[in-house]
Amino acid sequence: MYSFKNDYSEGAHPNILQALVETNLVQESGYGEDQFTQKAIELIKSHIGRQNVDVHLIPGGTQTNLIASSSFLRPHEAVISADSGHINVHETGAIEATGHKVLTVSTKDGKLTPELIQEILDIHTDEHMVKPKLVYISNSTELGTIYKKDELVSLSEFCKENDLIFYMDGARIGSALCSKENDLKLTNLPDLFDAFYIGGTKNGALIGEALVICNDTLKSDFRYFIKQKGALLAKGRLLGIQFVELFKDNLFFQLAEHANQMAEKLAEGLKEINVPFLAESPTNQIFPIFTNEQVAELQKNYAFEIWEKVDKNRTVIRFVTSWATKEEAVEQLITDVTKLVQK
Amino acid sequence: MYSFKNDYSEGAHPNILQALVETNLVQESGYGEDQFTQKAIELIKSHIGRQNVDVHLIPGGTQTNLIASSSFLRPHEAVISADSGHINVHETGAIEATGHKVLTVSTKDGKLTPELIQEILDIHTDEHMVKPKLVYISNSTELGTIYKKDELVSLSEFCKENDLIFYMDGARIGSALCSKENDLKLTNLPDLFDAFYIGGTKNGALIGEALVICNDTLKSDFRYFIKQKGALLAKGRLLGIQFVELFKDNLFFQLAEHANQMAEKLAEGLKEINVPFLAESPTNQIFPIFTNEQVAELQKNYAFEIWEKVDKNRTVIRFVTSWATKEEAVEQLITDVTKLVQK
Amino acid sequence: MYSFKNDYSEGAHPNILQALVETNLVQESGYGEDQFTQKAIELIKSHIGRQNVDVHLIPGGTQTNLIASSSFLRPHEAVISADSGHINVHETGAIEATGHKVLTVSTKDGKLTPELIQEILDIHTDEHMVKPKLVYISNSTELGTIYKKDELVSLSEFCKENDLIFYMDGARIGSALCSKENDLKLTNLPDLFDAFYIGGTKNGALIGEALVICNDTLKSDFRYFIKQKGALLAKGRLLGIQFVELFKDNLFFQLAEHANQMAEKLAEGLKEINVPFLAESPTNQIFPIFTNEQVAELQKNYAFEIWEKVDKNRTVIRFVTSWATKEEAVEQLITDVTKLVQK
Amino acid sequence: MYSFKNDYSEGAHPNILQALVETNLVQESGYGEDQFTQKAIELIKSHIGRQNVDVHLIPGGTQTNLIASSSFLRPHEAVISADSGHINVHETGAIEATGHKVLTVSTKDGKLTPELIQEILDIHTDEHMVKPKLVYISNSTELGTIYKKDELVSLSEFCKENDLIFYMDGARIGSALCSKENDLKLTNLPDLFDAFYIGGTKNGALIGEALVICNDTLKSDFRYFIKQKGALLAKGRLLGIQFVELFKDNLFFQLAEHANQMAEKLAEGLKEINVPFLAESPTNQIFPIFTNEQVAELQKNYAFEIWEKVDKNRTVIRFVTSWATKEEAVEQLITDVTKLVQK
């Protein structure tokens, strides 16, 4: 049984474990005031090319989203998201649990546009309705798609014009930035977003997301919110050490590139034998369509997500690759699918 | 500079790191559905001698307290705590942020009694006031004291008689159970408490607390609450692997015992030279009193917490020892204090 | 200028004011423990034909919805509503502000069906998503439509089978029950719903909604929730006196019938001159379609809501009638529209 | 049986009912956008001598406190209150239910001082604790005491210096301002407070409190908060009409003066026969001490609150007078107590 279920099936990249072992007995301050966290923050600032941002290391993605949203918004303000957005579907109402409505628009590719946001603004006009305030996007999206730079520029300008906070969930920003179709750089992000996070968990870390707050008005007292939601680790070094490893050289990008290459190889292998896809995805999640019988057969040797039904007989499934995906496993999967399809 | 500031200044016990390294490339399901977490849960059940409990591994202590409280309580119900309780003082209003008031009583030693709780019940009699419902204790307490078994039995009976949920914050339960004055066993806990947690972070783990829910009525849907608060780690294995190491043999207890021995050695060394103490503490936190000048001198070579002023000239400080505290460091500290005191 | 903007443009029915004047100096207990509130509760129980229900008088509708939802639900549970539902659109995120997500389905007529609810249940299957728990309907709906008895029976059975709480917002239940198309009685409601409310504000009272809790498991400690949300009026008599007047004879129904007759007369008058409608509404809200020029002309002498654009040139507006709507005003409006349409 | 239980035992002052009757059929906009509410706001601004404030009419006191606090504060910020403060004791955790901790200090007379607040500030120094931000006082207090002008000036200056929001619960501000010992004027309040409310319910209205927001930074979007908490009445006129009556002449003050005179007469009558008091109260709540037997005897003919036990044999009770208290009833009570005491 080999798993293409997600990008967190294995532990951490060996460099990270090595660093944890080597630094283990160094005494450090708690709660993110250790030297490793400080070093990680400096490295991240350097990679994004900006010093006047605040960087906070937070254990998980749902946590980062809920802490950021609830600290940035006043009680009557709402989040705008694609209806496929992670905060809308797969966080068990975490945003609402902090008191805020998530307003959604339907999209084909998981991506927001100024026009879609304008529709929300048009119908929220007075105090009988929530006030739309924070625009949430994920990049890459839950459907594996990515935003091109000009799409983000127009969204960013739209948000500024409409006094909206522009926020990016970067759980898979590594994969997005290393996509063949990508034209965005890490150094563009501070100009585009009021805040965003760089995901570690889905790109080789054990845990950890680096939240970057660019807008000065959102920075104050942020550590209070991290603590109040239970996300200020006593041994904050665990986060710091990992992000130092990811960003002291280019490990973060190397890992994402490997994940993308494995996905691309897999997609190309399947396309060659005419397996259809739900949509084009240039990142580490791909969505092929199989008959229900083929799916059942594949499940005997592979773990993956059932995504949705196409019709009575066919099903979309999701294959995810990661920094740890073995090339032989991809090749074996292509071989196995080939046999299956050609039966 | 040597730190006696807390019990999370170092990383994890080497066995834990070793296990992380060895299991690193095993593919596992996410979100605590991995084999390591399942194994850890079985080991914990075995150590506490009860099968019909639910065990959940959660990254941190504040998180565990807020998830448990907010899932156990209805909106009008309140927590009862000693005014020195961690949830009342040092969690940035985490409980209130989930909507619940913390009712407090003043204590000398950080310990609740049936009489103190009764005072709260007596004045909360109708719908114009919150309804006291969950009794929060910590063991060992924030002052280093521990509950004797008969004290817990009487508290437990009182809670049952008054339809109160009895909950123990066990961030330092290891140190409590290994205290020389202790007469409580891990196997007693399920009979005494509706829920409690066994702390890993302050006893040799990188992160991780094991919440044990004993009362059947509090068990349902608990994973929803963990997820909603952002505490369901994608790589749940990180928690599972650590607790397997702590409980597969008796590492958990060995680590706590070392911490206690170091504290005891330190306390005895200081008492011999007539350093006064705020109170007797039989666990890994001790509270000696020094003159302000002595404190300033000690700060040159040691890190520790300033606890409180005794008067204009004297200050209580806190020394904490851990699984990683070096005996030589304790000896050196005694030597240094001796010189200081005898100047 | 005559207003057809809503059913709360005037004060209270004169009988209600008369009763307030007559009872004014009687000394009474506060917080709904007065004799009038007790009398009102008995009258309501008698009208709905059930004694084993709990009745609470609450100032407003949004308040009633938010208090009921937040007290009935555990933190991870969500509300299911039509996307046009009042709680989803026009309560400024009141439900989310208490921590609960509102899951929506799109409908043409504002009405839920078992099939629509099933769609929600089908995609909410584990702890990564909220747990759908309370089904919210309004009757009459925000579009003026009503539920027939058999529709409610099938919804009620569906809810029981799926362990869902079935709740009715009855802000306009008076108008629904007095509709010509209605086959539902007040005495049916306790069998159908776990809880529902009977709206006073939109049917002749100054303020006040009567929440009826039928399901025993939802009854306990409910006055705590009313108080905590600031809805337990010191002078609860203000609510009691009004509901006594509405239900001591049949004033409640007489008022709703008048409102419906005025709406029907208006609708028929407009249909005779071929004014098109958005949809059939058998209650006190009707939705005719006019050209933008006609709307502008009508606004000179009448107040009403702009509902939505049909296309570039035409607009749906909403006329609402009430217990206080004057027949002459309806006749004048028909005359004025006739002139306008025939220009 | 005559009630001295509270100042909301009767309905409204007859002028108010008269105005409700006279304006009943005037059609008005909903949600506080009616002419009466606008008129009331102008009158209140005129009485307090300031135009650049925002005034909102809100049904109840708990509601006003919870809406103001939750809209003024960010999630990690806390309220400071005397431990006897209404929000701390008698609002069923309404403030905590919006997510904010209430920090308390013990006082003898229910009054805060800069020194008492400083104590709270001194121990809340970092992100592991909540951040004290809003200072809540009530005037008159829950113990019937009042703040002198210089006390408020020093509190106000202290708050400004420490970047704290200064807020007054004025449920009984009428009685405070009309106290013989008072040297404060309504026109002083905008200079002293960031926000405060003028209580109607306990001074002759059916319902209604007028919240005055003086600090510009707290004004924006406030109607959203009122709506979200369910406090934006559809028939907002009910609040507007009442406050017009209270403030178009000096009815508000006349009513409070009557209440105070009745309390003073009662207190003097009791002092003449040497009945002891818990404390001096110069407002409409007085706290005499009787033996338990005397209390039981009084309960046969009078309703009042049991306040607290002095010792085994004696009990403090509370008598409250109001705009509606009859002088004959006060005289009769004095006569009855005299007989009782001299038995």
Side-chain angles (χ1 to χ4, degrees), chain B residues 183-204:
Chain B
D183 62 355
L184 187 74
K185 292 179 194 156
L186 209 43
T187 51
N188 300 138
L189 300 185
D191 294 329
L192 293 168
F193 295 100
D194 293 293
F196 62 94
Y197 80 80
I198 299 171
T201 306
K202 290 173 178 164
N203 195 27

Side-chain angles (χ1 to χ4, degrees), chain C residues 2-3 8-12 17 24 26-28 31 63 90 92 94 97 201 205-206 224 227-228 230 235 237, chain D residues 2-3 8-12 17 24 26-28 31 63 90 92 94 97 201 205-206 224 227-228 230 234-235 237:
Chain C
Y2 196 86
S3 176
Y8 40 88
S9 297
E10 289 89 359
L17 290 184
N24 192 44
V26 180
Q27 287 192 316
E28 283 292 336
Y31 305 111
Q63 225 168 23
H90 282 109
T92 317
T201 305
L206 287 169
Y224 283 86
K227 173 72 183 183
Q228 189 184 64
K235 292 181 181 167
R237 63 196 293 151
Chain D
Y2 195 86
S3 176
Y8 40 88
S9 297
E10 290 89 359
L17 290 184
N24 192 45
V26 179
Q27 287 193 317
E28 283 293 335
Y31 304 112
Q63 224 167 26
H90 281 110
T92 317
T201 305
L206 287 168
Y224 283 85
K227 173 73 183 181
Q228 188 184 64
K235 292 179 180 167
R237 63 195 293 150

Side-chain angles (χ1 to χ4, degrees), chain A residues 2-3 8-12 17 24 26-28 31 63 90 92 94 97 201 205-206 224 227-228 230 235 237, chain B residues 2-3 8-12 17 24 26-28 31 63 90 92 94 97 201 205-206 224 227-228 230 234-235 237:
Chain A
Y2 196 85
S3 176
Y8 39 87
S9 296
E10 288 89 359
L17 290 184
N24 192 45
V26 179
Q27 286 193 317
E28 283 293 335
Y31 305 111
Q63 225 167 25
H90 281 109
T92 316
T201 306
L206 287 169
Y224 283 86
K227 173 72 184 181
Q228 189 184 63
K235 292 180 181 168
R237 65 195 292 152
Chain B
Y2 196 85
S3 176
Y8 39 89
S9 296
E10 290 89 0
L17 290 183
N24 191 45
V26 179
Q27 287 193 317
E28 282 294 335
Y31 305 112
Q63 225 168 24
H90 281 110
T92 316
T201 306
L206 286 168
Y224 283 86
K227 173 72 184 182
Q228 189 184 64
K235 292 180 181 167
R237 65 196 293 151

